[in-house]
Amino acid sequence: MPQSQQSKRSIGWLGLHRGHKARPLEWVTEKFIFLVSLSVIVTVFLIFVFVLREALPIFLGTANSSAVRPVIPPDQLDELSPERLASYLGLSKKEVAETDRETLQLLMELKVEAAAEAPDDKDAKVNTTGWRYILFPYQWTGYDKARFIWQPISQIPKYNIIPLLVGSLKVTLVSLLFAVPLALGAAVYVSQLAPPKWKEVIKPAIELLSGIPSVVLGFFALVVMASFLQWLFGYESRLNAFVAGAALGLAIIPVVFSIAEDALTSVPQSYIQAALALGSTRWQAAWKIVLPAALPGVFAAVVLGFGRAVGETMIVLMASGNASIMSWDVFDSTRTITATIAAELAEAVFGGHHYGILFMIGTLLFVVTFVSNLAGGFVMQHLKGRLEGKK
Amino acid sequence: MTKRFQRHKFDYVSFFCTGLTGAATFLILAILAVILCNVVFHGWSSFSWRFLTGGTERDMFSVENAGILPMIVGTAVRVILMTIFVVPIGVITAIYLTEYAHSTSFFTRIIRGAVNNLAGVPSIVFGLFGLGFFISFVGQNIDAALHISEPLWGKPALIWASLTLAVMTLPVVIIATEESLKAIPSGLREASLALGATKLETILKIVLPQALPGILTGTILAVGRAAGEVAPILFTGAAYYMAHLPKSLTDQFMDMGYHVFILSTQSPNIEQTRPILYATVLALLLLTFALNIVAVLVRTRMRANMRALQ
Amino acid sequence: MKKIFTQFNLALAALAVATAAHAGNITVKGSDTLVILAQKWAEVYARKNPETKIQVTGGGSGIGFAALQNRTTDLANASRKIRVKEIESCVKAFGKRPTEYKVALDGLSVYVNDANPVQNLSLEQLEGIFTGRIKNWNQIGGNDAPITIYSRENSSGTYEFFKEHVLKGRDFAATAQTLQGTAQVIQNVAKEKNGIGYGGGAYGSGVKHLKIKKDANSPAVEPTEESVVNGTYPIWRYLFIYVNPALDKDEVASYLTWIRSDDGQNVVKDVGYYPLPANLRK
């Protein structure tokens, strides 16, 4: 059979192969399999889209949370055009058309009541969801100077997210400080220095740590570690970034350990044997030969540990004190992005400003972990390529 | 072996550093041991058969009467529902990735990238997704389509929590299944094709049955991971208290991990309910450890069998 | 293939079960202050009326109101009065103002560690402490030590009530540690000798309830049933349940009636809050 005809028959569309007889049912099934596997991509895409969708008003600056708005007396209901009424009441034109007159009247009366309730405050006119207030310090009424304040439940809601970002960063850095030396040390020990038989016991044992749910680690931090560490170090706040970071470190040790250990063991044995033959000790071989060779994998382990730590919720929710203090002191209580979302989301009205802000920081979180995972995955692939090339 | 090649001068640095890294390893194991001992020590006294099978009809905060059956049932039901959704999709995706896809094709790379990224998404973002997509979009549209006036599907429910968890554990199932599919020697497939089977027949009749242990491992790992997760179910369906077991897909449910959270932070008398808290933690740990150990055992046996095959 | 078929059938069956008549399901969400009470009510009521299924979730009054507006709950427990903005959202959601039911009385307690020498404080001093103006115990007659403030999450009605009535609308100090429930507040105050916190009166042991003075010249009053019911304790409040008027019938209405009857109010006392005076029941 001529070559071109043969290739046309055996390589189908999009790499889907057919047997020597193409049966319609099989073809449909194979297409179905392909579609289902697309679902993974679709899911990641959907997550991004639907989380972003709720945050869009904040990103685009179309939300307005100022407490003071011009009030139209209810008896002027009939004189207003539908568009004016819709924008005044915060409804869509369709909703205005669907609502009966009595309800519209009630809504206008409520607007008058709300205006009466509005605070007597110079900041009442401020649109607190504007980017200037979300990112930069501002001197609100009752404060002595410009500060970063996160107090979403208030007459004048304050949505500055900087204390939350600082909080997340603080806790993550503390956890990396705990976890990376311990996990890397253990990885080096288990893969290079310990008797090989021990590896089969130690490795599963450390992976047992990853089987502990994060709510249990949070409980342990709250009930046992907080008191113990306060007794040890004698600081003031019982629940703070340090305690949360320590517990978080425990949570990411298995992640960093297993990836680093994999990277260290995939360094070709020939390197190590050559070093040993030349008279080095195991430690010298590990430190000077294996670790540098596995550096990309170790780096990827740390990056993935970072991603995991930034996204962890239950531990920080229970052990960090949840005070939105803007400080770099690790012994201060702190409020992280994840704990804020977990604690405040149930309380936000669907579609409201608070809701949008929480989804906005959720999007931020998603992007950060996405990027860090991408970086980690990239480095790992690079490492695989390099080692496979060398082999 | 190192001893025979030891130099005359004792290498202090090596000794010290080996000791240091060894200490790091044992410190990790020691902390793990402390956590386990602490939980077992405090939780064992309230842990009993009555505790596991008692309900919440009588005071769920009193040490003598508390029972966690509704929590166990809630956790079990949501995990089983999740499995129904995640296993078919995960296995099919893994089949596509190993059997059909070109390893360098554009789609394959994107799918693999998506799997890896899904694995790294924070659990609270899954909670947001569950709220923003399943409840607000799918649920409310179902309500609108079925012309239901009071939200039935558009509020936190068992089904949405299960679907959220299914999305979260999809990468686990995919990666485990892929691993087992790759381990099957291509000789088997080639023999089958040579004997006249089509590719699909080969997969369904030869490859999949061989990969069953791997799929099982993946499922058990996914179940173990999902049983302990609390963040995704916080606003997609967990309830503080229910006097009855969840009866329909739109009911809320109680949950072991959520109960640990509640008892740690919102119980009426923290000192008094501490034994219940420890016992619940013990139950949860036993569950997740049992699942993990079973998964590891299945995986080890599978690897031994594969080696035997080769 | 068979597997997929059976799974499909299972799914269909489940769907059928799910959309079956939803008789007797009451969802209750909201205040943490009320959550133990709500749970006890659900428990006692379920014993008498086993066909009614009640599911309770806490988290804070804000959660109850949001759920009311999102129509994901039947009853919203609240430890503060509803705001006009929330009424507005409710009207947009279901066309009517939500019906308000008073269901119990509560004296908001201010807790300090047992070892703290301070016995009573005035409302003004409380405001100074919790806004961060007064930073040291020795400014109010205690030891020379910085004050550690424990507060509640902002979804809590207790948080908002305290902010509105004691702090007069000012913000809490940024250093205030926000905890998930009153029980956590008490636990932390019990462990921290320089701590101060507030919460619903039903919780806790190991801490001291402070006597509160309305102003510097008034007598200091302790929260007891008498002082709360007759209003001499300065920080007292009603506990509410809000409901969509359209849902206030059948099971929901009978549940609400039971709660406000003598039977339901006896439960209130067991939990540690104060029952409604007779003229407010029914």
Side-chain angles (χ1 to χ4, degrees), chain A residues 226-250:
Chain A
S227 310
F228 175 64
L229 288 174
Q230 189 172 36
W231 172 82
L232 203 59
F233 290 97
Y235 44 70
E236 244 183 58
S237 326
R238 186 169 171 271
L239 299 178
N240 52 35
F242 185 68
V243 173
L248 197 49
L250 282 180

Side-chain angles (χ1 to χ4, degrees), chain C residues 13-39:
Chain C
L15 203 69
V17 167
T19 34
H22 226 71
N25 232 345
I26 305 183
T27 310
V28 182
K29 282 196 187 166
S31 167
D32 271 341
T33 307
L34 272 164
V35 79
I36 314 164
L37 186 51
Q39 183 244 322

Side-chain angles (χ1 to χ4, degrees), chain B residues 49-100:
Chain B
W49 187 245
R50 184 206 53 80
F51 180 71
L52 289 176
T53 54
T56 46
E57 312 85 32
R58 293 199 290 153
D59 197 352
M60 77 175 179
F61 291 120
S62 102
V63 184
E64 305 84 41
N65 291 330
I68 57 167
L69 186 66
M71 291 71 155
I72 297 180
V73 168
T75 309
V77 171
R78 77 171 158 89
V79 154
I80 292 174
L81 269 180
M82 170 203 86
T83 315
I84 295 177
F85 290 116
V86 84
V87 171
I89 299 184
V91 169
I92 293 178
T93 311
I95 290 177
Y96 175 74
L97 282 175
T98 36
E99 306 289 333
Y100 286 101

Side-chain angles (χ1 to χ4, degrees), chain B residues 14-269:
Chain B
S14 290
F15 181 71
F16 181 67
C17 291
T18 310
L20 210 59
T21 49
T25 319
F26 288 108
L27 185 60
I28 299 178
L29 295 175
I31 297 179
L32 178 62
V34 164
I35 297 179
L36 294 178
C37 290
N38 186 275
V39 171
V40 172
F41 179 68
H42 283 107
W44 194 245
S45 44
S46 332
F47 198 75
S48 65
W49 187 245
R50 184 206 53 80
F51 180 71
L52 289 176
T53 54
T56 46
E57 312 85 32
R58 293 199 290 153
D59 197 352
M60 77 175 179
F61 291 120
S62 102
V63 184
E64 305 84 41
N65 291 330
I68 57 167
L69 186 66
M71 291 71 155
I72 297 180
V73 168
T75 309
V77 171
R78 77 171 158 89
V79 154
I80 292 174
L81 269 180
M82 170 203 86
T83 315
I84 295 177
F85 290 116
V86 84
V87 171
I89 299 184
V91 169
I92 293 178
T93 311
I95 290 177
Y96 175 74
L97 282 175
T98 36
E99 306 289 333
Y100 286 101
H102 277 312
S103 53
T104 49
S105 117
F106 182 61
F107 273 124
T108 321
R109 274 209 296 232
I110 294 203
I111 295 181
R112 272 199 214 281
V115 171
N116 282 327
N117 274 293
L118 208 56
V121 174
S123 44
I124 194 80
V125 174
F126 281 114
L128 285 176
F129 177 63
L131 191 60
F133 178 67
F134 286 121
I135 295 181
S136 297
F137 186 69
V138 177
Q140 286 183 355
N141 282 327
I142 293 182
D143 277 339
L146 295 178
H147 296 293
I148 303 175
S149 56
E150 284 310 313
L152 180 64
W153 295 94
K155 60 180 169 66
L158 187 59
I159 178 131
W160 306 131
S162 308
L163 282 172
T164 310
L165 287 170
V167 170
M168 192 178 87
T169 50
L170 198 54
V172 177
V173 175
I174 292 179
I175 292 176
T177 313
E178 247 199 298
E179 190 188 297
S180 68
L181 284 173
K182 281 203 180 122
I184 298 175
S186 50
L188 269 179
R189 298 188 184 89
E190 286 161 7
S192 161
L193 288 173
L195 287 170
T198 61
K199 194 167 175 80
L200 197 62
E201 279 175 353
T202 314
I203 295 174
L204 285 178
K205 300 217 168 98
I206 310 286
V207 177
L208 259 188
Q210 286 283 333
L212 232 39
I215 299 178
L216 199 60
T217 312
T219 314
I220 298 175
L221 284 174
V223 165
R225 170 107 195 261
E229 281 288 339
V230 178
I233 58 171
L234 275 179
F235 8 90
T236 48
Y240 176 87
Y241 174 78
M242 279 165 57
H244 63 285
L245 298 176
K247 293 247 161 51
S248 90
L249 289 176
T250 51
D251 271 349
Q252 292 186 298
F253 56 93
M254 295 183 86
D255 178 78
M256 283 203 283
Y258 189 64
H259 200 58
V260 170
F261 174 61
I262 294 287
L263 285 174
S264 307
T265 55
Q266 290 171 30
S267 100
N269 189 334

